[in-house]
mmCIF file of all heavy atoms in Angstrom:
data_model
loop_
_atom_site.group_PDB
_atom_site.id
_atom_site.type_symbol
_atom_site.label_atom_id
_atom_site.label_comp_id
_atom_site.label_asym_id
_atom_site.label_seq_id
_atom_site.Cartn_x
_atom_site.Cartn_y
_atom_site.Cartn_z
ATOM 1 N N GLU O 9 14.582 -14.800 -12.301
ATOM 2 C CA GLU O 9 15.270 -14.103 -11.135
ATOM 3 C C GLU O 9 15.191 -14.782 -9.901
ATOM 4 O O GLU O 9 16.251 -14.905 -9.166
ATOM 5 C CB GLU O 9 14.574 -12.640 -11.045
ATOM 6 C CG GLU O 9 15.369 -11.827 -10.081
ATOM 7 C CD GLU O 9 14.908 -10.398 -9.954
ATOM 8 O OE1 GLU O 9 13.744 -10.137 -10.420
ATOM 9 O OE2 GLU O 9 15.483 -9.539 -9.340
ATOM 10 N N GLU O 10 14.084 -15.420 -9.537
ATOM 11 C CA GLU O 10 13.972 -16.222 -8.338
ATOM 12 C C GLU O 10 14.902 -17.422 -8.341
ATOM 13 O O GLU O 10 15.607 -17.696 -7.312
ATOM 14 C CB GLU O 10 12.514 -16.716 -8.153
ATOM 15 C CG GLU O 10 11.464 -15.612 -7.845
ATOM 16 C CD GLU O 10 10.125 -16.162 -7.763
ATOM 17 O OE1 GLU O 10 9.855 -17.458 -7.916
ATOM 18 O OE2 GLU O 10 9.134 -15.298 -7.542
ATOM 19 N N ILE O 11 14.916 -18.096 -9.506
ATOM 20 C CA ILE O 11 15.754 -19.239 -9.569
ATOM 21 C C ILE O 11 17.265 -18.860 -9.478
ATOM 22 O O ILE O 11 18.106 -19.534 -8.788
ATOM 23 C CB ILE O 11 15.580 -19.970 -11.003
ATOM 24 C CG1 ILE O 11 14.087 -20.654 -10.917
ATOM 25 C CG2 ILE O 11 16.611 -21.001 -11.215
ATOM 26 C CD1 ILE O 11 13.685 -21.118 -12.208
ATOM 27 N N LEU O 12 17.668 -17.769 -10.138
ATOM 28 C CA LEU O 12 18.950 -17.215 -10.065
ATOM 29 C C LEU O 12 19.441 -16.815 -8.739
ATOM 30 O O LEU O 12 20.512 -17.101 -8.122
ATOM 31 C CB LEU O 12 19.128 -15.998 -10.965
ATOM 32 C CG LEU O 12 20.572 -15.744 -11.490
ATOM 33 C CD1 LEU O 12 21.297 -16.820 -12.047
ATOM 34 C CD2 LEU O 12 20.500 -14.511 -12.417
ATOM 35 N N ALA O 13 18.428 -16.233 -7.957
ATOM 36 C CA ALA O 13 18.834 -15.858 -6.490
ATOM 37 C C ALA O 13 18.931 -17.191 -5.757
ATOM 38 O O ALA O 13 19.902 -17.189 -4.817
ATOM 39 C CB ALA O 13 17.632 -15.162 -5.856
ATOM 40 N N LEU O 14 18.176 -18.157 -5.936
ATOM 41 C CA LEU O 14 18.310 -19.381 -5.220
ATOM 42 C C LEU O 14 19.598 -20.112 -5.580
ATOM 43 O O LEU O 14 20.268 -20.690 -4.623
ATOM 44 C CB LEU O 14 17.112 -20.390 -5.409
ATOM 45 C CG LEU O 14 15.823 -19.843 -4.839
ATOM 46 C CD1 LEU O 14 14.618 -20.757 -5.252
ATOM 47 C CD2 LEU O 14 15.884 -19.954 -3.279
ATOM 48 N N VAL O 15 20.002 -20.046 -6.782
ATOM 49 C CA VAL O 15 21.256 -20.716 -7.233
ATOM 50 C C VAL O 15 22.443 -20.014 -6.592
ATOM 51 O O VAL O 15 23.374 -20.653 -6.146
ATOM 52 C CB VAL O 15 21.327 -20.684 -8.788
ATOM 53 C CG1 VAL O 15 22.693 -21.084 -9.180
ATOM 54 C CG2 VAL O 15 20.319 -21.750 -9.357
ATOM 55 N N PHE O 16 22.327 -18.563 -6.655
ATOM 56 C CA PHE O 16 23.353 -17.910 -5.968
ATOM 57 C C PHE O 16 23.542 -18.117 -4.458
ATOM 58 O O PHE O 16 24.593 -18.178 -3.822
ATOM 59 C CB PHE O 16 23.288 -16.373 -6.273
ATOM 60 C CG PHE O 16 23.797 -15.956 -7.711
ATOM 61 C CD1 PHE O 16 23.480 -14.731 -8.080
ATOM 62 C CD2 PHE O 16 24.266 -16.921 -8.517
ATOM 63 C CE1 PHE O 16 23.688 -14.290 -9.409
ATOM 64 C CE2 PHE O 16 24.706 -16.497 -9.824
ATOM 65 C CZ PHE O 16 24.468 -15.146 -10.172
ATOM 66 N N LEU O 17 22.351 -18.264 -3.817
ATOM 67 C CA LEU O 17 22.392 -18.530 -2.326
ATOM 68 C C LEU O 17 22.964 -19.926 -2.141
ATOM 69 O O LEU O 17 23.753 -20.165 -1.186
ATOM 70 C CB LEU O 17 20.892 -18.489 -1.837
ATOM 71 C CG LEU O 17 20.845 -18.827 -0.362
ATOM 72 C CD1 LEU O 17 21.564 -17.875 0.422
ATOM 73 C CD2 LEU O 17 19.308 -18.750 -0.006
ATOM 74 N N ALA O 18 22.596 -20.977 -2.919
ATOM 75 C CA ALA O 18 23.058 -22.262 -2.821
ATOM 76 C C ALA O 18 24.608 -22.262 -3.066
ATOM 77 O O ALA O 18 25.335 -22.892 -2.406
ATOM 78 C CB ALA O 18 22.448 -23.285 -3.731
ATOM 79 N N GLY O 19 25.006 -21.496 -4.023
ATOM 80 C CA GLY O 19 26.508 -21.436 -4.263
ATOM 81 C C GLY O 19 27.222 -20.716 -3.183
ATOM 82 O O GLY O 19 28.364 -21.184 -2.828
ATOM 83 N N THR O 20 26.606 -19.725 -2.552
ATOM 84 C CA THR O 20 27.278 -19.070 -1.330
ATOM 85 C C THR O 20 27.396 -20.103 -0.257
ATOM 86 O O THR O 20 28.596 -20.247 0.334
ATOM 87 C CB THR O 20 26.454 -17.964 -0.911
ATOM 88 O OG1 THR O 20 26.184 -17.014 -1.857
ATOM 89 C CG2 THR O 20 26.974 -17.265 0.268
ATOM 90 N N VAL O 21 26.452 -20.874 -0.005
ATOM 91 C CA VAL O 21 26.530 -21.883 1.066
ATOM 92 C C VAL O 21 27.447 -22.982 0.801
ATOM 93 O O VAL O 21 28.371 -23.463 1.506
ATOM 94 C CB VAL O 21 25.065 -22.514 1.352
ATOM 95 C CG1 VAL O 21 25.209 -23.685 2.264
ATOM 96 C CG2 VAL O 21 24.130 -21.510 1.853
ATOM 97 N N THR O 22 27.494 -23.361 -0.553
ATOM 98 C CA THR O 22 28.496 -24.372 -0.980
ATOM 99 C C THR O 22 29.954 -23.868 -0.959
ATOM 100 O O THR O 22 30.776 -24.625 -0.421
ATOM 101 C CB THR O 22 28.120 -24.791 -2.422
ATOM 102 O OG1 THR O 22 26.713 -25.288 -2.410
ATOM 103 C CG2 THR O 22 29.112 -25.796 -2.857
#
Side-chain angles (χ1 to χ4, degrees):
E9 186 179 9
E10 288 176 6
I11 291 169
L12 199 54
L14 289 172
V15 167
F16 283 170
L17 179 60
T20 302
V21 171
T22 302

